[in-house]
Amino acid sequence: MKTKLFKINPRKIEIDKIRKAAQIIKKGGLVAFPTETVYGLGADAFNKQAITKIFRVKKRPFNDPLIVHIADKKDVFKVADKIDKTVCKIIEQFWPGPLTVILKKAKDIPKIATANLETIAIRMPAHSVALSLIKEAKTPLVAPSANLFGKLSPTTAEDVLEDLRGKIDLVLDAGKTVVGIESTILDLTRRPFSVLRFGGVSLEELKRVIPEFRLYKEKEILAPGMFIRHYSPRAKLIVVEEGKGQIGKVKKMVYKFLRERKKVGIMAKAEHRSQYRNFKVKFLGRGNDFSSCASNLFALLREFDREKFEIIIAEGVKEKGLGRAIMERLRKAQGDG
Ligand code: TXA
Ligand code: MG
């Protein structure tokens, strides 16, 4: 199959291109599209065959459930059950935006989408292209990140093609995504509510709206897919935690790998630029600018891979705000998340 690519200006959407994309979805095809977090691989949420194709092309295990994307808050009632006032308040506050909520699933959604769970993950993305595609297709879309399973989520159309060229019908290219990491996942099916994945909405933002929630414990397996190594670059990644002596520790490790004749690079905070003059280094952003760091994270890791680095020594960031989501991904990339 030849994968088509349509460039779209998100501020001036050409509806013809969206209509063609929606046609493909209606016929059971797969379309990769931008959201504010990362690119998603979309299919009609009510079409079992199309959903099966998503798992096949991504090489994703069937026990890893998908997120359903909607373009209108009201559509949450089409895909989920038991939506009370508190749930409505949360949705009202955070949608459209990078928050995925887990609710009780509505009957009509095929079980393959939710890996046979009675619950369903739902979000309304804050991206004009995503929203107009969903509207034009007149159906909610299941959409995992548009990468091969276990690889880094794509933040550009090129990233999508790198993993899925020839395997999907179309990529809608609206440039680099803004947030750069996936949505925060919040389980609203049990109280207290729990956060299953850190992401584009920070805990601090959640706390302002939700009085009580907790972080999930590793042992409670809600969705098997949650605990498989994720976000991995090909290179081996080692995180050096934020704090005193961070730069020294990074350099020591780099020297060790250089002695072993490995191609080793550093992913550092911008304020450490002068410290790493003689090293191969890429800069994530200023350590106190979590939004820039998040937005560059996957893009930089993919760059290291393209340049065939064997080892990446990554400087950790502070664990507050989006810093938590960044650290969660770095630890998973390291293999101990
Ligand atoms: O930002 C995002 O969330 C992106 C964009 C495309 O929207 N999507 C995304 O999807 O990251 P994906 O499939 O790569 O990650 C979704 C994760 C699954 O791996 C699974 O762990 C969790 O959501 N999930 C989905 N349904 C669930 C459920 N019913 N219960 C618990 N976890 C669920
Ligand atoms: Mg993913």
Side-chain angles (χ1 to χ4, degrees):
M1 165 191 303
K2 190 166 162 27
T3 302
K4 287 198 202 81
L5 181 116
F6 294 167
K7 282 202 191 292
I8 298 202
N9 178 348
R11 279 168 296 276
K12 218 175 117 196
I13 293 178
E14 294 139 282
I15 196 69
D16 277 5
K17 292 180 180 170
I18 298 288
R19 285 207 179 109
K20 281 186 189 142
Q23 275 305 323
I24 294 174
I25 295 282
K26 282 182 204 156
K27 285 190 193 139
L30 304 186
V31 176
F33 62 93
T35 77
E36 78 281 35
T37 58
V38 299
Y39 275 73
L41 180 60
D44 179 349
F46 293 100
N47 183 330
K48 274 188 215 161
Q49 275 87 29
I51 301 172
T52 309
K53 263 198 266 174
I54 285 196
F55 284 94
R56 294 248 157 82
V57 305
K58 273 183 63 85
K59 301 201 169 81
R60 178 180 177 117
F62 283 98
N63 64 9
D64 191 2
L66 306 175
I67 299 176
V68 171
H69 294 64
I70 56 177
D72 186 328
K73 289 175 197 163
K74 288 198 293 295
D75 287 346
V76 70
F77 295 99
K78 290 188 191 157
V79 294
D81 273 343
K82 298 211 173 133
I83 301 159
D84 63 18
K85 268 196 186 145
T86 319
V87 173
C88 289
K89 189 178 151 205
I90 294 169
I91 289 172
E92 202 48 54
Q93 196 70 32
F94 291 103
W95 284 359
L99 181 73
T100 294
V101 297
I102 311 280
L103 293 169
K104 193 172 175 327
K105 163 184 168 313
K107 278 198 205 70
D108 303 352
I109 296 285
K111 284 205 152 183
I112 184 177
T114 61
N116 276 320
L117 297 173
E118 289 304 319
T119 58
I120 186 166
I122 310 157
R123 86 178 191 98
M124 177 178 170
H127 196 293
S128 59
V129 174
L131 293 175
S132 57
L133 174 64
I134 301 166
K135 275 184 202 144
E136 204 59 42
K138 298 193 175 61
T139 175
L141 300 183
V142 282
S145 50
N147 52 283
L148 288 172
F149 181 71
K151 300 281 180 219
L152 301 162
S153 289
T155 56
T156 64
E158 292 75 38
D159 294 348
V160 175
L161 288 172
E162 193 171 76
D163 282 13
L164 301 176
R165 190 192 292 280
K167 296 180 179 156
I168 62 176
D169 298 281
L170 172 68
V171 183
L172 296 176
D173 177 1
K176 190 167 179 254
T177 61
V178 175
V179 178
I181 52 173
E182 304 87 344
S183 59
T184 298
I185 304 182
L186 184 63
D187 182 358
L188 301 179
T189 61
R190 291 181 303 168
R191 304 210 176 208
F193 301 148
S194 59
V195 174
L196 306 185
R197 176 173 81 182
F198 294 130
V201 171
S202 69
L203 288 194
E204 290 81 351
E205 287 169 288
L206 283 181
K207 273 184 194 147
R208 259 178 249 142
V209 178
I210 306 167
E212 202 196 351
F213 63 85
R214 63 193 181 101
L215 309 181
Y216 76 86
K217 294 188 203 74
E218 287 278 324
K219 281 179 216 98
E220 324 161 48
I221 298 195
L222 294 170
M226 284 172 59
F227 301 104
I228 305 166
R229 190 160 97 114
H230 258 102
Y231 323 114
S232 322
R234 269 194 298 276
K236 178 184 164 66
L237 183 134
I238 300 168
V239 187
V240 177
E241 302 276 327
E242 157 95 23
K244 232 175 121 214
Q246 190 182 32
I247 295 168
K249 283 182 202 154
V250 168
K251 287 185 181 170
K252 204 167 148 199
M253 276 194 194
V254 173
Y255 284 126
K256 170 178 169 283
F257 287 112
L258 286 175
R259 278 195 299 276
E260 293 171 13
R261 307 203 174 283
K262 293 277 198 272
K263 181 163 180 183
V264 52
I266 303 169
M267 188 164 77
K269 287 168 283 196
E271 59 269 31
H272 292 169
R273 189 175 289 272
S274 61
Q275 301 286 335
Y276 296 124
R277 284 239 170 79
N278 303 314
F279 295 86
K280 295 204 168 79
V281 53
K282 296 182 192 292
F283 298 100
L284 198 54
R286 294 195 70 79
N288 59 5
D289 181 359
F290 292 126
S291 304
S292 302
C293 292
S295 140
N296 291 330
L297 180 67
F298 290 142
L300 277 195
L301 293 175
R302 277 193 184 248
E303 253 184 50
F304 278 109
D305 274 349
R306 280 182 196 130
E307 295 167 25
K308 304 263 181 324
F309 278 86
E310 293 166 287
I311 319 271
I312 304 165
I313 313 290
E315 287 192 343
V317 296
K318 283 207 178 66
E319 300 208 47
K320 57 177 197 184
L322 286 187
R324 278 195 200 88
I326 294 169
M327 287 306 291
E328 184 177 77
R329 279 152 188 78
L330 286 176
R331 292 202 180 104
K332 287 208 171 169
Q334 183 174 246
D336 60 6

